[in-house]
Amino acid sequence: MKQSALLACLLVTLTIAPAGAEDVNAIVESCADCHGENGVSQWTDVPTIAGVDAFVGSEALYIYRDSERPCASSAYRQGDTDRPEATMCKLVSNFSDDTIDTIAEHFAGLPFVAAKQDFDEQLAAAGKRIHDNKCSRCHSDGGSNPDDEAGILAGQWTGYLRTTFAEYASGEREQLGKMKKVMDSLSDDDTEALINYYASQQ
């Protein structure tokens, strides 16, 4: 099973027609097949999208629609799991701006639920120090505040975070100037410490 490439990922069923206003409810309901009920993922490589700020969610979908972010194939996790693997770029390619904004607003209104997962306490402590020193300006409250419009890191799944950090480090995923400077300063050990810190917030 391949890892999902999503930070604000919104996998939906391939069988849905190109999205118009009348399709949004069906699209939202189908998101559970990859992101779990109400956008709360149960799989380490799939991010929880519930509670993610609407601006962050919509921007991610616009980027996928324009094929400007890695679009790895991902299997469906529930429902008809025999369906072919899907990619975000393919699934959102025909979505209108209004459809994207409505989907993002829907999930922004749902509560984020932190993943229950293992973490290393010593690494988490080191990660907190790194976060406070390098990341807290844009990711306040330990990376848990959706009002930052910078995504929710605290309580997010480690598999998804590792994929995302790797995409940033390789240059596959575009970064703003400030973030690139920070990411370039992180060692592999720093990254692993940060991931354990975010995982510790349950």
Side-chain angles (χ1 to χ4, degrees):
M1 184 178 292
K2 298 178 183 178
Q3 285 195 330
S4 166
L6 310 187
L7 175 53
C9 158
L10 186 62
L11 285 174
V12 294
T13 41
L14 286 168
T15 55
I16 293 175
E22 69 278 5
D23 301 315
V24 172
N25 287 338
I27 293 170
V28 165
E29 288 176 7
S30 73
C31 294
D33 289 349
C34 292
H35 284 281
E37 299 302 320
N38 296 315
V40 179
S41 173
Q42 303 300 312
W43 306 277
T44 187
D45 61 327
V46 178
T48 287
I49 55 175
V52 173
D53 178 79
F55 173 78
V56 174
S58 62
E59 282 298 296
L61 291 176
Y62 291 138
I63 291 168
Y64 284 123
R65 187 180 63 183
D66 295 338
S67 298
E68 293 179 351
R69 183 175 288 181
C71 286
S73 295
S74 181
Y76 289 92
R77 310 310 165 92
Q78 56 188 28
D80 180 7
T81 56
D82 290 331
R83 284 170 288 179
E85 292 188 353
T87 74
M88 283 299 301
C89 294
K90 169 82 172 177
L91 293 172
V92 305
S93 61
N94 292 317
F95 284 8
S96 69
D97 289 0
D98 286 345
T99 294
I100 285 176
D101 291 345
T102 300
I103 292 168
E105 287 166 8
H106 170 79
F107 284 103
L110 298 175
F112 181 86
V113 179
K116 301 298 182 185
Q117 56 191 327
D118 295 333
F119 63 92
D120 183 290
E121 291 186 5
Q122 287 187 325
L123 284 176
K128 183 181 187 309
R129 291 191 292 272
I130 296 167
H131 175 90
D132 290 347
N133 183 43
K134 296 188 174 186
C135 311
S136 60
R137 248 181 111 177
C138 297
H139 299 276
S140 65
D141 299 329
S144 67
N145 188 349
D147 293 338
D148 291 333
E149 296 185 346
I152 296 176
L153 302 175
Q156 192 56 270
W157 283 104
T158 57
Y160 167 71
L161 289 176
R162 285 191 179 94
T163 297
T164 302
F165 271 93
E167 289 170 355
Y168 281 133
S170 69
E172 294 179 87
R173 193 159 170 170
E174 185 179 3
Q175 305 175 65
L176 298 175
K178 291 185 297 183
M179 184 169 176
K180 186 177 188 314
K181 184 176 180 180
V182 171
M183 292 297 292
D184 287 348
S185 74
L186 298 176
S187 67
D188 290 345
D189 289 343
D190 290 340
T191 296
E192 192 60 25
L194 283 169
I195 289 170
N196 275 267
Y197 170 55
Y198 300 134
S200 74
Q201 299 183 66
Q202 302 180 20

